[in-house]
Amino acid sequence: MEKIRCGWCEKDDLYRKYHDEEWGRPVYDDRTIFEFLILESFQAGLSWYTILSKRDNFRKAFDHFDYQKVAVYTDKKIETLMNDAGIIRNRLKIMAAVTNARKFIEVQKEFGSFSDYIWGFIDGKPIDHQPGSLSDVPATTEISDRIPKDLKKRGFKFMGSTVVYAHMQATGMVNDHIKNCFIRK
């Protein structure tokens, strides 16, 4: 019997694997949370599939999303990234990744971990929307509007409501798997 999945992931095996193994599963590890913050910020204006297909290249280019290393990237490293055809070569997004790494570390110092900070917006418990179909899945919510306002006050870049909501979905802060998706069982 074939598995029923959320319709968005049926494009190919890369999407199905991401859906089946990662999307919507709660993540509390700061490095993984940072990875998704960076990937989602690069996705702004592009498809998630584009980012997912370049994910391994991003991992290599950004030192496996070690935010301590990314926070101290120099102009020379930024130029190296601008010449890396394996990633999205957008100077503003690359520079935002460096800024966001620095701000990420500041949040860690204030809250003990970035995970504690971000999950604190929803009292540490995933929100389960139980959508009946993809059309029931929102692009933003009141919470995804609130989080980027706080992130922006803290100096983060490329963190709008849609980007933050996608991050919440990716890291399992929100469970938007449709009701008949096999993941729910």
Side-chain angles (χ1 to χ4, degrees):
M1 188 166 157
E2 196 163 324
K3 291 178 180 175
I4 296 173
R5 292 179 173 88
C6 301
W8 63 263
C9 75
E10 293 298 353
K11 183 174 184 166
D12 68 8
D13 288 339
L14 177 66
Y15 247 16
R16 281 187 287 276
K17 181 176 172 37
Y18 172 67
H19 170 273
D20 293 359
E21 296 175 9
E22 292 184 83
W23 192 73
R25 293 211 166 53
V27 174
Y28 300 97
D29 170 70
D30 272 4
R31 186 178 280 195
T32 305
I33 290 171
F34 180 73
E35 175 177 353
F36 279 113
L37 274 178
I38 297 306
L39 292 175
E40 295 293 352
S41 70
F42 271 90
Q43 189 251 326
L46 302 169
S47 75
W48 181 243
Y49 187 80
T50 298
I51 301 303
L52 201 56
S53 65
K54 294 176 176 280
R55 188 178 188 184
D56 287 338
N57 296 332
F58 272 102
R59 282 181 174 149
K60 289 176 194 143
F62 283 90
D63 291 293
H64 298 276
F65 298 104
D66 181 335
Y67 43 85
Q68 298 285 352
K69 289 181 180 178
V70 176
V72 295
Y73 279 1
T74 62
D75 289 342
K76 183 179 178 187
K77 175 64 175 183
I78 290 169
E79 288 309 313
T80 300
L81 293 169
M82 283 298 298
N83 290 309
D84 187 337
I87 65 167
I88 306 302
R89 295 178 288 180
N90 177 308
R91 185 176 301 279
L92 291 176
K93 290 180 179 182
I94 291 169
M95 291 173 68
V98 177
T99 296
N100 291 347
R102 293 173 184 154
K103 300 305 174 185
F104 191 90
I105 292 166
E106 288 175 16
V107 168
Q108 283 181 317
K109 288 177 183 169
E110 182 178 344
F111 289 86
S113 71
F114 193 88
S115 179
D116 286 347
Y117 161 76
I118 197 89
W119 280 90
F121 282 94
I122 57 169
D123 296 323
K125 297 179 198 94
I127 298 166
D128 192 349
H129 286 143
Q130 298 191 21
S133 69
L134 291 178
S135 62
D136 297 329
V137 177
T140 63
T141 63
E142 180 273 325
I143 294 170
S144 77
D145 291 342
R146 221 173 352 125
I147 294 171
K149 285 179 184 167
D150 194 69
L151 289 170
K152 284 177 187 171
K153 276 191 237 169
R154 295 172 181 281
F156 283 79
K157 308 285 184 206
F158 281 94
M159 291 289 139
S161 187
T162 305
V163 167
V164 168
Y165 192 72
H167 181 265
M168 291 172 71
Q169 290 173 310
T171 59
M173 291 176 70
V174 174
N175 181 354
D176 276 341
H177 285 281
I178 59 171
K179 283 184 182 177
N180 62 350
C181 178
F182 85 95
I183 296 293
R184 288 197 166 275
K185 303 203 171 10

